[in-house]
Amino acid sequence: MALALAETNAAGSIALDVEGVSHRYESDGRDLQVLDDVSLTIAPGEFVALLGPSGCGKSTLLRLAAGLEKATRGRVLEDGKPITGPNPDRILVFQDATLFPWRTVRANIATGLEARGLLTALEHRIDEVLKLVKLEGFSNFYPHQLSGGMAQRAALARALVNDPKLLLLDEPFGKLDSLTRLRMQNELLDLWKSTGFTALLVTHDVEEALLLADRVIVLSDRPASIIAQVRVDRPHPRRRDDAGLVALRRALLEKLGISHDV
Ligand code: ADP
Ligand code: MG
C-alpha cells in the first residue's frame, strides 16, 4: 500500500536551487538581515537537513522555497524555474500540526484538495495517505482526541495528499516526546522512501539530522550563511552509535560552537 502514491507519482521529486540568496526584513523602520548570500543545490529525491542557531533564518529559507516570500536578493529555483509563489508541489510542514480543531482528521486532510476543486476526483487519496501515516482507524477523530504524534502524522498526511514533490519540514518533531520523536523519524524516512519527494528538514537536533539526511548543512548566526556541509554516506536504517555518525556528530557540534564533551 505504501507504493500507492509512488505509482501515481512518476516524477515524484524536484531539484531545488538557492542562488546567492540574501534576505532582509523591515519592521518598525528597522532593517534586519537574516540570510547572507546563501547558495545550495538539492538534487531530486535528496534528503537535506539544515542546522543552525535559533533566529538565524532557517524558517525564512523554507518560506522562500515554499514561495511564501520573495528573496530580497538572489533566486530560488524549482527544476531550473524561478519560484514565484506557493504551489501544492512544495509544501511546508510546521512544528505545530496546526490542524483545524473543528474538522475531523479526514476533513483536515481534505482541505487542500477541496481548495483546489479536486476532492471528488482525488478523494481516494485521502484513504491512501491515512494508511501511509497509520491513521486509518482515526479518520473521524477531532484534533483534540489525538496525541501529539498522531496530530503530526495527520499534518504529514494533509501535506502528502497533495503529492508534494518537495516537502519542507520546519522542526516537525520539535514538540514531541523523545520516544514519539524516534518513531516519527522512522516513519518520515519510510514515507520519503516510498513516495520519493525531495526533503528539506530544519531541525535543531544534530542526531536527527544525521539519522535522516543524505547531507547536513550548517548555518551561521544571523545573518545566516553556510559554514559547513557534510555528506552522510550511511545506509538506512542507521544506528545512532555508528562510529562514523558519532564522529560526524562531534564535528557538527563543533561547527555549531558547542564543545564536544556534551
Ligand atoms: P529561525 O527559523 O532560524 O529561528 P527565522 O527565519 O524564523 O529564524 O527568523 C530569523 C529572524 O528574522 C528572527 O530574528 C525573526 O525575528 C525575524 N523575522 C522572521 N520573520 C519576520 C518577519 N515577517 N518580519 C520581521 N522579522 C522577521
Ligand atoms: Mg524557525
Side-chain angles (χ1 to χ4, degrees), residues 54-60 63 170-171 202:
S54 180
C56 78
K58 303 179 295 296
S59 296
T60 300
R63 283 202 297 275
D170 200 351
E171 305 194 30
V202 165

Side-chain angles (χ1 to χ4, degrees), residues 1-120:
M1 197 56 219
L3 289 174
L5 281 184
E7 283 161 10
T8 57
N9 182 16
S13 55
I14 58 163
L16 183 75
D17 282 300
V18 176
E19 289 185 351
V21 163
S22 297
H23 196 65
R24 350 180 123 252
Y25 289 114
E26 250 177 74
S27 57
D28 295 338
R30 284 190 311 151
D31 206 34
L32 185 74
Q33 185 172 5
V34 294
L35 297 171
D36 181 20
D37 196 19
V38 173
S39 293
L40 59 98
T41 295
I42 304 181
E46 194 181 9
F47 196 135
V48 170
L50 274 182
L51 288 172
S54 180
C56 78
K58 303 179 295 296
S59 296
T60 300
L61 191 55
L62 292 194
R63 283 202 297 275
L64 294 174
L68 299 173
E69 244 165 290
K70 191 181 178 315
T72 318
R73 186 148 27 110
R75 301 195 303 171
V76 186
L77 308 146
E78 132 183 59
D79 284 340
K81 293 183 290 289
I83 289 172
T84 54
N87 183 302
D89 277 354
R90 291 175 265 109
I91 296 211
L92 190 49
V93 176
F94 303 95
Q95 184 176 77
D96 286 307
T98 58
L99 300 170
F100 297 119
W102 60 87
R103 302 193 108 191
T104 62
V105 166
R106 186 179 193 86
N108 264 285
I109 295 171
T111 313
L113 296 179
E114 241 169 54
R116 293 157 65 203
L118 295 173
L119 188 55
T120 313

Side-chain angles (χ1 to χ4, degrees), residues 9 23 35 37 45 51 56-57 79 97 114 118 156 169 201 204 207 216 221 234 254-255:
N9 182 16
H23 196 65
L35 297 171
D37 196 19
L51 288 172
C56 78
D79 284 340
E114 241 169 54
L118 295 173
L156 274 174
L169 300 141
L201 167 79
H204 57 260
E207 267 190 10
V216 182
D221 273 324
R234 282 285 188 278
E254 236 161 72
K255 295 285 180 195

Side-chain angles (χ1 to χ4, degrees), residues 78-236:
E78 132 183 59
D79 284 340
K81 293 183 290 289
I83 289 172
T84 54
N87 183 302
D89 277 354
R90 291 175 265 109
I91 296 211
L92 190 49
V93 176
F94 303 95
Q95 184 176 77
D96 286 307
T98 58
L99 300 170
F100 297 119
W102 60 87
R103 302 193 108 191
T104 62
V105 166
R106 186 179 193 86
N108 264 285
I109 295 171
T111 313
L113 296 179
E114 241 169 54
R116 293 157 65 203
L118 295 173
L119 188 55
T120 313
L122 294 179
E123 194 161 11
H124 62 280
R125 300 186 63 84
I126 298 180
D127 295 299
E128 289 174 13
V129 294
L130 277 166
K131 279 213 177 88
L132 275 179
V133 301
K134 305 189 177 82
L135 283 179
E136 4 4 359
F138 300 92
S139 66
N140 293 320
F141 278 47
Y142 285 88
H144 75 271
Q145 297 173 301
L146 305 176
S147 68
M150 288 160 82
Q152 203 49 296
R153 290 215 289 273
L156 274 174
R158 189 177 51 182
L160 293 172
V161 80
N162 296 294
D163 199 5
K165 296 178 173 47
L166 173 66
L167 200 57
L168 302 157
L169 300 141
D170 200 351
E171 305 194 30
F173 311 137
K175 287 206 172 152
L176 303 177
D177 66 81
S178 53
L179 284 179
T180 307
R181 191 184 176 95
L182 294 181
R183 196 171 308 130
M184 292 294 297
Q185 289 167 351
N186 288 331
E187 289 182 10
L188 175 62
L189 211 49
D190 289 344
L191 289 172
W192 172 66
K193 282 186 205 153
S194 59
T195 60
F197 50 78
T198 307
L200 181 55
L201 167 79
V202 165
T203 176
H204 57 260
D205 180 343
V206 176
E207 267 190 10
E208 179 168 286
L210 288 170
L211 284 175
L212 299 180
D214 297 317
R215 188 152 51 102
V216 182
I217 296 177
V218 183
L219 299 174
S220 68
D221 273 324
R222 188 180 68 234
S225 58
I226 294 175
I227 53 175
Q229 293 203 42
V230 296
R231 188 159 283 289
V232 191
D233 271 325
R234 282 285 188 278
H236 295 287

